Amino acid sequence: MSYGQEPGGPGDPRDGQHGGKQPDGDRYPGQPYGGQRYDQQQDGAYGSGWQQQPGHPEGYRPPQPMTPEDQRLWATLTHVGGIFSNVLVPVIGYLLLRDRGRFVREHTRVALNFHITMAIAYFVGALTSVLGIGFLIIAAVGIVSIVFGILAALAANQGQFYRYPLSIEFVKP
């Protein structure tokens, strides 16, 4: 079954044809795609490691772990994105990538904590800008955010963990 085809049409894996070849293994009625057991599945249309989870809708596939190279890439992009968007990119990165690997989870978590802290510092700077000192706070926060964001991105790209200084732990491990 390809994108846009109706279920039950030609090539639907649930009709037992699975693109012209029959998957090996036991069948469990009522399970999607015949409910092939995890230990008997083949790579291919099912993907590696697929298994129907109890309590999840039919066809739900849990997030698959990323390769170490992909985790390093996404951790680096989260830190760099935090420099340009403050909290937005780390929030999206944490919500989407936290279940994809331990390395990317830790990097997105510390980036999120740091950029939430920097957002609070920007807010304090904006409030105190009436007194004149706020402009110095905003400038200092901007410089600190850029410098530590670059250091964190370099550490992530090299496969190392990084702890931001001056960061409040809002999101716990």
Side-chain angles (χ1 to χ4, degrees):
M1 180 170 76
S2 66
Y3 182 76
Q5 283 184 320
E6 291 292 320
D12 186 359
R14 291 177 284 192
D15 67 0
Q17 294 184 14
H18 190 336
K21 68 178 188 177
Q22 195 79 341
D24 298 323
D26 295 337
R27 298 278 188 177
Y28 296 99
Q31 297 293 318
Y33 305 109
Q36 191 172 15
R37 287 197 336 223
Y38 179 78
D39 58 345
Q40 294 180 340
Q41 75 182 20
Q42 304 285 322
D43 286 342
Y46 297 117
S48 179
W50 180 81
Q51 153 180 17
Q52 178 67 29
Q53 299 291 322
H56 292 292
E58 182 175 330
Y60 171 78
R61 295 179 73 157
Q64 300 298 314
M66 288 192 284
T67 63
E69 294 81 21
D70 287 343
Q71 289 188 49
R72 284 197 331 250
L73 171 71
W74 284 107
T76 303
L77 291 175
T78 301
H79 292 298
V80 171
I83 293 171
F84 295 108
S85 70
N86 199 10
V87 178
L88 183 65
V89 171
V91 165
I92 293 170
Y94 181 73
L95 292 175
L96 294 179
L97 302 172
R98 65 181 173 202
D99 296 330
R100 304 290 304 272
R102 185 175 76 87
F103 184 78
V104 75
R105 179 187 317 120
E106 182 62 19
H107 272 279
T108 56
R109 184 186 71 79
V110 296
L112 178 59
N113 285 331
F114 177 72
H115 289 290
I116 290 173
T117 304
M118 292 299 106
I120 293 169
Y122 277 124
F123 182 72
V124 169
L127 287 179
T128 57
S129 64
V130 176
L131 304 173
I133 194 167
F135 298 114
L136 295 175
I137 293 173
I138 291 172
V141 169
I143 292 169
V144 165
S145 181
I146 291 170
V147 169
F148 289 136
I150 290 171
L151 291 175
L154 289 173
N157 195 32
Q158 295 170 356
Q160 301 169 354
F161 289 99
Y162 184 79
R163 288 276 180 204
Y164 283 98
L166 310 172
S167 180
I168 301 170
E169 289 285 319
F170 293 103
V171 181
K172 304 286 185 199

